[in-house]
């Protein structure tokens, strides 16, 4: 079957095909933006060289994982479910409940990013321009402050941007991705020409078995940033050429991020110094940027906010399409699998709007849920990567416009084992990094279980309302086949 024939296979609710591979590449720039947000903590905990090597290892694992997705994405070019859909397809004959498990596991961390980065944006705006505005407004059990109000405004703004349509979303992505290139360029290039750059002063804080354990836990944390290249696959049905554009977007994004994730810890870390980073791992790069290019802290904060907006734009676009596909496939409430006249999954977007407002206003610190979401995220990758092997075995004759060489089959098994180790060690030990403990693990397991319960209720309702099957021996008129065949 040709690429054109694949494009002609439409379903009842089909997302419009308006994107090209470089649109997916721009969306994947979320990952370097997320690196800027978490770089300091990794250098402070691992040492500069430890962070650089571990980010590179995590990105190398992501390289293998996402290369597998180039084949899986082209097997299901009309699915907006991304890796959650690949996992569901591979496992449905063995464990149909994998569909809601993977769907919720994938959707939750992407879907709640608006609350997290909206709150961070509000805090940055207050700290940089309105430090004296420390008022709070108590509304019963809810307390509003300036950062929370700004965060709510950002959430609504992101909702409206995505509501207009994919072209408006992509225009906004290109603007924020271009702004992101400013700090990336400065952090990679400028330190090389500075007398203060001292990469040899960076340390390696991973020693012995304890260091190995810490490294695996950090691979668990880093997976949210490095594995996110798979966002390119979620938009497969919206590329003009679902086969070629998906493959190009994934490959270009992986190779670009592989270089960035290894170089930035060495260049920026070697310039700022581990001591300064340890003192303020969240915003140390603001001072570094100002010293590299002059007094430009306002510019740096604006660039940082733009990178956060890029993360949120990609997150809401990705998660809404996954939720839409879950509704369309009856993995969750079917009413969510509907598009409006512009081809936008508005119902899925609205669910995300409400969810993020509730998380931001009520919890005001959704970090535990977001980080806990890593459990489901890595689990979904594990199910999708192992699904590569299962689909090769179960559907050997399936149409694969991109068919990887056969050595990718054992590679998928090796990567699955690696992900099992990262998941098991990381999920039970991420308190080592200060990112949570068993309480957060319990929350994650509860949310995944809730997704399975909703799926079971939807399936039970569908069976209850299904028409009674007619006898195989009767035709629609009620005459038995044996009677109709008599002379």
């Amino acid at each position: 079957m040709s690429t054109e024939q694949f494009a002609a296979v439409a379903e009842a609710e089909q997302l419009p095909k308006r994107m090209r591979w470089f649109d997916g590449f721009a969306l994947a720039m979320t990952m370097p933006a997320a690196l800027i947000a978490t770089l300091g903590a990794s250098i402070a905990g691992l040492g500069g060289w430890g962070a650089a090597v571990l980010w590179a290892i995590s990105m190398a694992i992501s390289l293998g994982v996402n290369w597998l997705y180039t084949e899986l994405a082209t097997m299901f070019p009309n699915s907006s479910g991304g890796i959650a859909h690949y996992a569901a397809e591979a496992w449905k004959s063995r464990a149909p409940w994998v569909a809601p498990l993977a769907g919720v596991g994938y959707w939750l961390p992407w879907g709640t990013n608006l609350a997290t980065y909206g709150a961070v944006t509000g805090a940055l705006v207050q700290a940089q321009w309105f430090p004296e505005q420390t008022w709070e407004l108590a509304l019963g059990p809810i307390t509003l402050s300036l950062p929370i109000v700004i965060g709510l405004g950002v959430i609504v703004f992101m909702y409206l941007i995505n509501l207009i349509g994919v072209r408006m979303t992509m225009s906004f992505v290109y603007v924020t991705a271009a702004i992101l290139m400013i700090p990336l360029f400065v952090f990679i290039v400028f330190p090389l020409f500075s007398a203060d750059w001292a990469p040899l002063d960076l340390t390696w804080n991973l020693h012995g078995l304890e260091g190995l354990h810490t490294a695996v836990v950090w691979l668990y944390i880093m997976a949210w940033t490095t594995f996110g290249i798979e966002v390119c696959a979620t938009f497969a049905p919206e590329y003009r050429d679902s086969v070629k554009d998906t493959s190009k977007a994934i490959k270009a994004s992986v190779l670009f991020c592989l270089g960035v994730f290894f170089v930035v810890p060495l260049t920026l870390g070697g310039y700022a110094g581990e001591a300064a980073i340890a003192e303020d791992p969240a915003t140390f790069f603001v001072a570094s940027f100002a010293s590299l290019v002059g007094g430009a802290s306002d510019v740096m904060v604006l660039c940082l906010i733009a990178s956060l907006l890029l993360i949120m734009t990609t997150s809401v676009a990705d998660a809404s399409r996954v939720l839409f596909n879950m509704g369309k496939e009856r993995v969750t409430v079917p009413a969510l699998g509907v598009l409006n006249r512009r081809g936008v999954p508005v119902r899925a977007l609205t669910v995300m709007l409400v969810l993020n407002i509730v998380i931001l206003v009520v919890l005001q610190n959704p970090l535990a849920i977001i980080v806990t979401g890593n459990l489901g995220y890595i689990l979904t990758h594990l199910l999708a990567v192992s699904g590569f092997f299962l689909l090769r075995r179960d559907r050997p004759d399936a149409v694969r416009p991109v068919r990887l060489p056969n050595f990718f089959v054992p590679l998928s098994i090796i990567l699955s084992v690696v992900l099992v180790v990262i998941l098991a060690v990381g999920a039970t030990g991420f308190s080592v990094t200060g990112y949570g403990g068993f309480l957060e693990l319990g929350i994650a397991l509860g949310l995944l279980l809730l997704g399975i319960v909703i799926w079971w209720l939807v399936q039970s309702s569908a069976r209850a309302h299904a028409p009674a099957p007619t006898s195989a021996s009767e035709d629609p008129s009620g005459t038995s086949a044996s009677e109709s065949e008599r002379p």
Side-chain angles (χ1 to χ4, degrees), residues 158-178:
M158 291 293 100
Y159 171 79
L160 295 175
I161 286 290
N162 281 269
L163 199 62
I164 295 173
V166 67
R167 289 322 309 170
M168 174 60 74
T169 301
M170 289 312 308
S171 298
F172 190 77
V173 164
Y174 275 112
V175 171
T176 52

Side-chain angles (χ1 to χ4, degrees), residues 12-143:
E13 292 286 349
Q14 183 62 48
L15 292 160
K17 303 178 77 65
R18 298 170 182 167
M19 297 174 60
R20 298 304 303 266
W21 71 267
F22 41 81
D23 294 321
F25 177 80
L27 286 165
M29 290 304 97
T30 299
M31 301 308 109
L35 172 65
I36 290 177
T38 57
L39 177 64
S42 65
I43 294 177
L46 304 170
W49 283 104
V53 171
L54 214 57
W55 278 112
I57 291 174
S58 183
M59 198 63 229
I61 297 172
S62 175
L63 173 65
V65 167
N66 281 282
W67 222 269
L68 295 175
Y69 297 155
T70 61
E71 176 173 312
L72 297 179
T74 57
M75 286 184 67
F76 310 103
N78 293 311
S79 169
S80 59
I83 65 173
H85 182 75
Y86 313 153
E89 284 289 326
W91 286 90
K92 66 181 181 181
S93 62
R94 297 171 175 82
W97 45 265
V98 162
L101 183 67
V104 174
Y106 179 82
W107 175 78
L108 182 65
W110 280 107
T112 52
N113 268 348
L114 285 179
T116 299
Y117 294 108
V120 174
T121 301
L124 282 172
V125 171
Q126 181 191 43
Q128 185 67 24
W129 294 292
F130 306 104
E132 72 285 354
Q133 296 296 325
T134 57
W135 54 266
E136 291 185 349
L137 177 63
L139 300 173
I142 298 173
T143 301

Side-chain angles (χ1 to χ4, degrees), residues 260-283:
V260 169
F261 281 31
F262 178 73
V263 172
V264 170
L266 297 180
T267 55
L268 184 58
Y271 177 80
E274 292 180 3
I277 295 173
E279 289 180 6
D280 189 8
T283 59

Side-chain angles (χ1 to χ4, degrees), residues 52-319:
V53 171
L54 214 57
W55 278 112
I57 291 174
S58 183
M59 198 63 229
I61 297 172
S62 175
L63 173 65
V65 167
N66 281 282
W67 222 269
L68 295 175
Y69 297 155
T70 61
E71 176 173 312
L72 297 179
T74 57
M75 286 184 67
F76 310 103
N78 293 311
S79 169
S80 59
I83 65 173
H85 182 75
Y86 313 153
E89 284 289 326
W91 286 90
K92 66 181 181 181
S93 62
R94 297 171 175 82
W97 45 265
V98 162
L101 183 67
V104 174
Y106 179 82
W107 175 78
L108 182 65
W110 280 107
T112 52
N113 268 348
L114 285 179
T116 299
Y117 294 108
V120 174
T121 301
L124 282 172
V125 171
Q126 181 191 43
Q128 185 67 24
W129 294 292
F130 306 104
E132 72 285 354
Q133 296 296 325
T134 57
W135 54 266
E136 291 185 349
L137 177 63
L139 300 173
I142 298 173
T143 301
L144 297 181
S145 61
L146 179 61
I148 298 301
V149 172
I150 293 173
L152 291 173
V154 170
I155 289 174
V156 174
F157 177 67
M158 291 293 100
Y159 171 79
L160 295 175
I161 286 290
N162 281 269
L163 199 62
I164 295 173
V166 67
R167 289 322 309 170
M168 174 60 74
T169 301
M170 289 312 308
S171 298
F172 190 77
V173 164
Y174 275 112
V175 171
T176 52
I179 296 174
L180 171 63
M181 292 300 107
I182 297 174
L184 276 183
F185 180 80
V186 170
F187 293 159
I188 291 174
V189 176
F190 280 35
L192 302 178
F193 299 95
S194 171
D196 295 327
W197 184 49
L200 296 181
D201 291 342
L202 296 175
T203 61
W204 176 277
N205 295 340
L206 301 172
H207 305 286
L209 292 178
E210 182 179 352
L212 178 61
H213 178 258
T214 300
V216 176
V217 173
W218 265 102
L219 288 175
Y220 175 90
I221 300 297
M222 292 174 173
W224 166 243
T225 303
T226 56
F227 285 25
I229 304 301
E230 47 74 22
V231 69
C232 299
T234 303
F235 292 84
E238 295 177 75
Y239 294 125
R240 293 182 183 178
D241 189 321
S242 293
V243 173
K244 294 180 180 179
D245 285 333
T246 303
S247 180
K248 288 181 180 179
I250 290 176
K251 292 176 180 178
S253 301
V254 166
L255 294 175
F256 178 81
C257 290
L258 179 62
V260 169
F261 281 31
F262 178 73
V263 172
V264 170
L266 297 180
T267 55
L268 184 58
Y271 177 80
E274 292 180 3
I277 295 173
E279 289 180 6
D280 189 8
T283 59
F284 77 94
F285 42 80
V286 174
S288 298
F289 188 91
S291 63
L292 284 168
V293 299
S297 60
D298 285 349
V299 175
M300 182 59 208
V301 172
L302 287 173
C303 291
L304 177 59
I305 290 174
S307 70
L308 296 177
L309 293 177
L310 174 60
I311 296 174
M312 287 185 279
T313 304
T314 302
S315 297
V316 70
D318 180 70

